[in-house]
Amino acid sequence: MGTSFENEFRRLCQEKHLAATHQRMVLYRTLMEMPEHPNPEQVFERVRQELPSISLATVYKTLHLFLENGIIREVSPHHGSLRIEPNDQHHHHFICLRCHGITDLSCGDVDVTPLLASVPEDFEVSQVSMEVRGICPMCASRLPVAET
C-alpha cells in the first residue's frame, strides 16, 4: 500500500518541481494513511513514530509547502485550526458544532452552477465546497453540559 503513495508522491513532486525527500515522502504517506481530517499536531505525533527527530515546526512548514503547491488541500480555512483533506474525490462535509469532528459526505454531484454564476467576474474560483453543520450522533447521545 505504501508503494502507491510513494509513487504518487514522486509524481506530484516532479510535476510541482519539488524535491521528493524521504522526510516529505513519509509525511505525505502518513497523511494519506490517516483517517478523518487530521490537524498538524496529529500528523506530527504519527510521523515522529517513524522519524523521531522531526520537529513540529518542520511538519507545519512541510504541510504549508504541500498546501501552497496543491499536493494536499485544507478542509476549510475558517475552523480555527488547520485540518488536512486527504480525500481527493469531490465531496462535501458535515461539521459537528460540539466536537468539531468532520465527516465526508459522498454527495459530490450537487449542482453549484447557480452559486458560481453569482461570483463576480473579477474573482477567480479555485474550489467549491459545501458544509452541513449540526450535531454528530456521538455528541447528540451525550447529556447536555450544565451551565455554571
Side-chain angles (χ1 to χ4, degrees), residues 36-38 67 73-79 82-86 91 93 95 102 104 127 129 131:
E36 310 273 325
H37 303 84
L67 286 167
R73 290 182 296 131
E74 184 174 4
V75 173
S76 179
H78 59 274
H79 291 297
L82 175 64
R83 299 289 290 272
I84 305 302
E85 177 60 80
H91 65 281
H93 296 108
I95 300 175
I102 301 170
D104 288 346
Q127 177 183 339
S129 64
E131 295 178 354

Side-chain angles (χ1 to χ4, degrees), residues 27-130:
L27 206 140
Y28 178 82
R29 180 176 28 96
T30 300
L31 273 172
M32 295 301 115
E33 291 174 345
M34 290 184 79
E36 310 273 325
H37 303 84
N39 64 36
E41 291 78 12
Q42 292 168 319
V43 175
F44 169 68
E45 289 301 323
R46 185 77 62 89
V47 168
R48 76 179 193 168
Q49 293 173 12
E50 190 170 340
L51 301 171
S53 63
I54 197 165
S55 70
L56 181 57
T58 298
V59 169
Y60 266 98
K61 280 193 260 182
T62 306
L63 291 176
H64 283 289
L65 178 73
F66 288 176
L67 286 167
E68 290 167 10
N69 286 280
I71 292 175
I72 59 172
R73 290 182 296 131
E74 184 174 4
V75 173
S76 179
H78 59 274
H79 291 297
S81 174
L82 175 64
R83 299 289 290 272
I84 305 302
E85 177 60 80
N87 182 352
D88 64 353
Q89 302 299 311
H90 184 68
H91 65 281
H92 304 290
H93 296 108
F94 179 92
I95 300 175
C96 181
L97 296 170
R98 287 190 186 160
C99 70
H100 307 287
I102 301 170
T103 303
D104 288 346
L105 303 176
S106 61
C107 181
D109 60 349
V110 175
D111 183 10
V112 296
T113 306
L115 180 62
L116 289 171
S118 71
V119 176
E121 282 184 40
D122 53 343
F123 284 68
E124 184 178 319
V125 176
S126 60
Q127 177 183 339
V128 176
S129 64
M130 295 182 189

Side-chain angles (χ1 to χ4, degrees), residues 17-31:
H17 306 289
L18 295 173
T21 67
H22 176 70
Q23 193 174 57
R24 289 176 180 174
M25 187 276 303
V26 169
L27 206 140
Y28 178 82
R29 180 176 28 96
T30 300
L31 273 172

